Amino acid sequence: MKEYDKLADIQRDLWARSLSCSDLVDFYLARIEDHKDLNIFLEVYTEEARQKALEVDQKIEKGTAGRLAGLVLGIKDVICYKGHRLGASSQILGEFQSLFTATALQKLLDEDAIVIGHQNCDEFAMGSSNENSAFGPVRNPHDPNRVTGGSSGGSAAAVAANLCHASLGSDTGGSVRQPAGFCGVVGAKPTYGRISRYGLIAYASSFDQIGPITRSIEDAALLTEIMAGLDPHDQTSSSEKIGTYVDHTPQKDTYKIGYFEEVIQHPSLDAEIREQIEAWMERRRKEGHELVKLSFPLMSHMVPTYYVLTTAEASSNLSRYDGVRYGYRAPKAENLEELYVRSRSEAFGTEVKRRIMLGSFVLSAGYYDAYYGRAQKVRRKIQDQTHKFFAEVDFIMSPVSPGVAFNLGEKVDDPIEMYLSDIFTVHANLAGLPALAFPLGKHSSGMPTGIQLMANAFEEGELFSFSLTCKD
């Protein structure tokens, strides 16, 4: 079967009857089996996907198929799908099954998307390499000795390896965009509140957002448009008008693209990526766009601020996993306190325990104001300054990550070095703004490189339409 980058091309062949959804599902199932060594899927819904494919084929025959007919989708193991196992790639949830379906996923199902399975990720979405899963690391399709990025590494790797057409991930500090950059695909994080978080296992509630990982910007726009909107189940979801992200009419002929000199000249940025970014900027200048140099003294404060706040929220969110009501229960506990301690100690992984302890520390008496309170103030300053930037420019451009996908095990013993992998992506989550990562080029190592564009709040339409013009 030929390789499809756009759903529109799949649907063209479906409408012409030269392809069926059953053909697609069988093709992806075969590829999943052939690429088991990458450790991408935790569970494959073989018979269910085949049955759904038959149903969609019948709808196509009748002319009643939804907008996503022919889309074979994988879902990250933090997104609820009723009647299916949900584990957050952890041991703590055991054999727990979802009691309902996440709103974002349900909207895709309503448009005839076919879910083929759930995908490996960093445990509770905590990680930048997908090496923190209780089920082992995911391997990069471009080089199996390298990481995929995290935490949605399985979701990005699945799309890159053509094991499904698109995936649904979550982005707390770059967890959709960074693995998309490492795997050479497209990853979108919408404005905070643009897509409902109902049915997403919480890591840090004021940062988390569901986002698509695709092979094309067009499909990222389509999935975002369908998932967007107010949800009565999520009080943080926005009632802001959605507009059109697909075939969006640009508001301008030329745009102002901001960039931070501190980022382009950052000592951690790989020299080849810097050259590719500068070449990208020059191409935009020649097209008539204006490149605007910005200065952001708070750049060095973003990663510490992000980790103080997210770990604080994580320590609160993960307190519900106590071994009492569902999931793993320590077998040798002799009293309630021991049940709590043993269940969490035995079933949570090292990185999750590290972040819970850090979060508990910054929230503790005597340290709350010094760490958590101060981090909240810095976050507000970052938000305020970022909004001022968007009074000057239309987009802010940056690399996705300082380097290409690194080797498995390379940063496992150095948490600080691992956390710095998120240095260019956490900004969008701290500010609650939309950002899109898409392929930039190839590194001399053979690995893909990525570029990121961030837009003002609820400007997803402009972000997608402009990015489509930048596919060099």
Side-chain angles (χ1 to χ4, degrees):
M1 181 181 290
K2 65 182 179 183
E3 197 164 307
Y4 294 96
D5 287 335
K6 300 177 186 177
L7 178 61
D9 295 334
I10 291 175
Q11 292 181 338
R12 183 193 61 233
D13 288 351
L14 288 172
W15 303 160
R17 306 300 190 266
S18 61
L19 177 71
S20 71
C21 292
S22 294
D23 294 334
L24 283 168
V25 167
D26 286 342
F27 168 76
Y28 288 126
L29 288 172
R31 285 193 60 80
I32 290 171
E33 182 65 27
D34 290 343
H35 291 79
K36 277 187 172 181
D37 59 312
L38 297 178
N39 197 30
I40 290 173
F41 279 88
L42 297 178
E43 188 174 357
V44 181
Y45 311 142
T46 303
E47 295 308 317
E48 181 181 323
R50 283 175 171 158
Q51 180 58 41
K52 178 66 174 179
L54 289 172
E55 293 172 8
V56 178
D57 282 334
Q58 291 171 1
K59 287 186 176 182
I60 291 171
E61 289 289 339
K62 296 176 182 177
T64 59
R67 295 176 71 188
L68 298 181
L71 179 78
V72 179
L73 181 75
I75 55 175
K76 184 179 179 179
D77 191 27
V78 292
I79 296 173
C80 292
Y81 188 17
K82 185 176 181 179
H84 297 76
R85 185 182 173 279
L86 178 71
S89 292
S90 176
Q91 298 289 355
I92 194 74
L93 276 163
E95 296 301 314
F96 177 79
Q97 289 193 350
S98 299
L99 303 178
F100 59 92
T101 297
T103 298
L105 176 57
Q106 187 61 57
K107 288 184 175 184
L108 302 184
L109 293 171
D110 291 344
E111 292 291 347
D112 288 328
I114 300 169
V115 179
I116 201 166
H118 72 266
Q119 298 155 333
N120 204 350
C121 62
D122 281 305
E123 185 180 4
F124 281 95
M126 297 182 187
S128 303
S129 65
N130 218 144
E131 294 174 282
N132 295 327
S133 169
F135 304 100
V138 177
R139 295 177 178 273
N140 197 306
H142 298 275
D143 181 349
N145 294 315
R146 294 178 183 260
V147 302
T148 56
S151 60
S152 306
S155 301
V159 176
N162 202 25
L163 309 188
C164 57
H165 187 72
S167 294
L168 211 54
S170 64
D171 192 309
T172 304
S175 290
V176 162
R177 290 161 289 143
Q178 189 243 32
F182 277 4
C183 293
V185 291
V186 177
K189 185 204 88 71
T191 306
Y192 184 80
R194 179 73 293 175
I195 292 175
S196 171
R197 291 183 298 110
Y198 180 72
L200 171 66
I201 290 181
Y203 162 19
S205 303
S206 72
F207 291 78
D208 300 337
Q209 274 290 272
I210 290 175
I213 298 174
T214 61
R215 299 173 70 86
S216 70
I217 294 171
E218 292 92 335
D219 287 350
L222 175 62
L223 294 181
T224 304
E225 181 180 312
I226 290 172
M227 291 188 289
L230 182 66
D231 178 14
H233 295 299
D234 178 7
Q235 294 184 351
T236 65
S237 64
S238 175
S239 60
E240 185 79 16
K241 182 180 177 182
I242 299 171
T244 301
Y245 302 158
V246 181
D247 299 325
H248 175 82
T249 302
Q251 296 177 2
K252 300 179 180 180
D253 294 325
T254 58
Y255 290 89
K256 291 183 178 181
I257 305 165
Y259 66 95
F260 299 127
E261 187 70 9
E262 297 94 329
V263 168
I264 304 301
Q265 301 305 324
H266 199 280
S268 70
L269 183 61
D270 180 271
E272 288 186 44
I273 295 178
R274 180 180 294 111
E275 290 176 6
Q276 292 179 4
I277 289 286
E278 290 173 344
W280 185 93
M281 293 166 63
E282 185 58 31
R283 290 193 293 272
R284 302 292 83 81
R285 285 192 184 96
K286 290 180 178 178
E287 292 168 356
H289 303 294
E290 183 180 350
L291 276 294
V292 181
K293 184 189 295 187
L294 303 172
S295 181
F296 198 17
L298 292 172
M299 180 67 65
S300 62
H301 297 282
M302 287 202 287
V303 170
T305 300
Y306 169 81
Y307 277 100
V308 167
L309 296 178
T310 56
T311 56
E313 293 185 23
S315 71
S316 175
N317 280 326
L318 270 63
S319 65
R320 70 193 69 181
Y321 305 107
D322 52 17
V324 176
R325 291 160 290 184
Y326 48 78
Y328 178 82
R329 176 179 292 194
K332 297 182 180 179
E334 296 182 358
N335 55 55
L336 184 61
E337 182 178 354
E338 194 172 321
L339 174 65
Y340 289 159
V341 173
R342 282 183 174 270
S343 296
R344 291 169 175 165
S345 298
E346 294 170 12
F348 280 138
T350 300
E351 183 60 30
V352 172
K353 286 188 279 192
R354 178 185 289 118
R355 297 194 191 197
I356 290 173
M357 289 189 288
L358 177 58
S360 298
F361 173 75
V362 302
L363 290 175
S364 62
Y367 295 100
Y368 183 96
D369 289 335
Y371 292 101
Y372 182 76
R374 183 172 296 180
Q376 288 286 29
K377 292 176 183 177
V378 175
R379 184 183 192 184
R380 174 49 64 109
K381 286 181 177 294
I382 290 170
Q383 291 172 337
D384 291 345
Q385 183 59 62
T386 303
H387 287 301
K388 289 180 181 178
F389 288 141
F390 281 110
E392 300 179 48
V393 301
D394 300 295
F395 307 106
I396 296 175
M397 177 276 303
S398 75
V400 175
S401 186
V404 296
F406 44 89
N407 290 326
L408 286 162
E410 182 178 326
K411 299 183 181 182
V412 168
D413 296 327
D414 190 345
I416 301 302
E417 182 69 20
M418 185 75 79
Y419 295 166
L420 289 173
S421 299
D422 301 328
I423 191 169
F424 302 141
T425 53
V426 297
H427 187 179
N429 301 83
L430 284 163
L433 300 179
L436 181 71
F438 53 93
L440 175 63
K442 281 282 186 180
H443 192 267
S444 60
S445 63
M447 300 303 292
T449 58
I451 190 168
Q452 174 182 239
L453 287 175
M454 181 168 62
N456 208 353
F458 302 106
E459 290 292 338
E460 282 85 355
E462 287 291 283
L463 178 60
F464 286 123
S465 64
F466 175 71
S467 298
L468 279 167
T469 70
C470 301
K471 296 187 297 181
D472 302 303

